[in-house]
Each structure stands twice: as C-alpha cells, then as structure tokens.
C-alpha cells in the first residue's frame, strides 16, 4: 500500500516544483474560506487537508480529506470571479503554492502540470472521487468500507504486519464523509470489528482483513 508520503520522483510534484513556492501550514490552520478570492493552486507535499463546507447553521461539514500529490484551489486561478470554495483546513501539511504566470513570461504554464494531475482524476482512480460518485447508491456499511479503502490507499502504513490507516478524523467527520449519522458509523465500525475486518484505534484503524473489507465495499 502507498504511504502518505509521495515518491521522490512523483511527476506531478516535480512539475510544480519548477514553478511553485513552498508553504507550510500548522495543524488547524484555515488556508482559505468561502467567499475569499483565490489566485493560487496548492499541491500537497505531505500531511492532510480537510475540505469542508459551512452549513446554514454555521456547522462545518466534511466533504473530503486530501493528501500528498492531491491539489486544491485549481479552479480559482482560471476563474477571475470572486471564489466561493469550501474552506480548506490543514492537518499540519506542506504544500507547493503556485500561480499561473502571464503569457510570454518564459516560465512553464499550467497546461502540462494540470494535465498530469487531471488524467487520473478523470479516470476515477485517485482520491475521494473514486468512490464518492457511487457511495450514495450503497448502504452505510458499503460506503464506510469504500471510504476506509480509499483512505488506506492514500494514508495506509504497515504496522506490525497489519495495515494502519491514520485518517485523523473524528467519528463525526467520518460520518459526514460517508453521509451517515455518527451513531450509525459507530455501530458499523463496531460490527466491522466484531466480524474481524478491522480494529478502531483512536483516529486510525487497523485493517485486519483487507480482502473481506473490499468485498464489503461492493
């Protein structure tokens, strides 16, 4: 399983390193919020970023958890109108911040880096979009299993022969991610643990049987 750190020769990060500027955000820092104009594209080098939206009752609703090599803010640099993106709150991360240079500047343009980033997203094989398109057509256990598998691909690490997925999410945030109540997610995690699929451990889970968890996600 890939870890939460991208390989040194990651082509996406290499492309942006040539034109980007490094930025580091502490845990809990709001990188930008709804209604703020944006002119930067961020590519995560390490750590995690939460993508959330404020509800009419002023509550934060988690939409996605982003990790290394994933990007955000890409729309704002191509759209001069005031941005209304969901807030991005960091989980102590390092990013490359990058703005599109003017034509004729002699610097690389957005075309190839964005093309490199977008290909796997269009193919539906990277990040939250891989399962979110169909998650609402399944039961809560199916959605939760899919979410955990997606998080495992991006944040999983070997730990004593098991796969530890450090998602850094509360049960409420995990519930928001799969479109269920916290109580339902709590019961589903307990059921998965009873069946020997995984073991919850704070803001992480130890996956005990990856194959059976994958079957549960179908």
């Amino acid at each position: 399983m890939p870890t939460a750190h991208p390989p040194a020769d990651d082509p996406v990060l290499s492309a942006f390193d040539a034109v980007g500027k490094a930025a580091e955000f502490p845990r809990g820092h709001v990188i930008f919020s709804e209604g703020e104009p944006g002119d930067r594209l961020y590519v995560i080098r390490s750590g995690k970023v939460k993508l959330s939206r404020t509800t009419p009752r002023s509550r934060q609703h988690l939409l996605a958890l982003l990790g290394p090599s994933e990007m955000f803010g890409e729309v704002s640099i191509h759209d001069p109108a005031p941005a209304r993106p969901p807030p991005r709150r960091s989980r102590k991360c390092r990013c490359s911040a990058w703005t599109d240079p003017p034509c004729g500047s002699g610097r690389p343009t957005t075309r190839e880096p964005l093309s490199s980033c977008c290909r796997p997203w269009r193919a539906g094989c990277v990040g939250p979009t891989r399962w979110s398109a169909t998650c609402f057509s399944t039961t809560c256990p199916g959605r939760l299993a899919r979410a955990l598998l997606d998080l495992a691909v991006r944040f999983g690490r070997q730990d004593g022969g098991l796969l530890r997925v450090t998602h850094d999410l509360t049960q409420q945030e995990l519930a928001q991610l799969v479109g269920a109540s916290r109580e339902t997610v709590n019961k589903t995690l307990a059921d998965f643990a009873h069946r020997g699929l995984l073991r919850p451990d704070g803001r992480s889970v130890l996956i005990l049987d990856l194959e059976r968890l994958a079957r549960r996600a179908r």
Side-chain angles (χ1 to χ4, degrees):
M1 281 286 179
T3 70
H5 297 277
D9 60 348
D10 188 296
V12 173
L13 292 180
S14 298
F16 280 100
D17 279 343
V19 293
K21 183 178 180 180
E24 187 165 349
F25 302 99
R27 185 183 184 91
H29 179 80
V30 178
I31 300 173
F32 58 83
S33 301
E34 293 177 85
E36 294 181 359
D39 63 350
R40 286 174 174 80
L41 180 153
Y42 295 88
V43 180
I44 303 171
R45 297 196 61 87
S46 65
K48 303 180 182 74
V49 173
K50 291 198 304 181
L51 168 61
S52 61
R53 182 173 294 280
T54 305
T55 68
R57 296 184 178 181
S58 299
R59 294 180 180 177
Q60 290 295 316
H61 186 82
L62 183 67
L63 301 177
L65 184 67
L66 307 180
S69 295
E70 294 183 298
M71 64 180 180
F72 57 94
E74 64 275 16
V75 176
S76 62
I77 64 170
H78 294 288
D79 184 359
R84 284 198 169 272
R88 272 73 170 182
R89 187 180 297 273
S90 71
R91 292 283 187 174
K92 191 176 182 182
C93 70
R94 293 175 59 245
C95 299
S96 289
W98 177 75
T99 56
D100 200 14
C103 293
S105 65
R107 296 174 60 192
T109 68
T110 63
R111 185 180 306 276
E112 186 54 37
L114 280 178
S115 178
S116 298
C117 288
C118 291
R119 286 189 200 112
W121 283 87
R122 283 197 299 267
C125 61
V126 172
T129 55
R130 182 174 57 178
W131 58 273
S132 62
T134 58
C135 71
F136 292 105
S137 64
T138 64
T139 63
C140 177
R143 297 197 303 270
L144 182 58
R146 287 188 183 209
L148 292 175
L149 289 172
D150 176 74
L151 294 170
V153 168
R154 294 181 293 136
F155 306 119
R157 291 174 178 271
Q158 290 297 318
D159 183 355
L162 300 175
L163 181 63
R164 178 178 292 277
V165 183
T166 304
H167 50 70
D168 291 323
L169 300 176
T170 65
Q171 280 199 4
Q172 181 63 41
E173 290 172 330
L174 196 55
Q176 292 171 0
L177 195 62
V178 300
S181 68
R182 184 186 63 79
E183 292 78 10
T184 300
V185 166
N186 183 42
K187 290 179 181 178
T188 303
L189 285 172
D191 180 64
F192 284 176
H194 177 73
R195 295 173 184 271
L197 276 64
L198 54 78
R199 184 192 309 153
D201 186 17
R203 296 194 179 188
S204 68
V205 294
L206 281 168
I207 296 181
L208 308 179
D209 195 325
L210 186 62
E211 184 177 345
R212 287 175 60 205
L213 185 64
R215 288 202 301 268
R216 191 65 188 85
R218 294 171 186 166

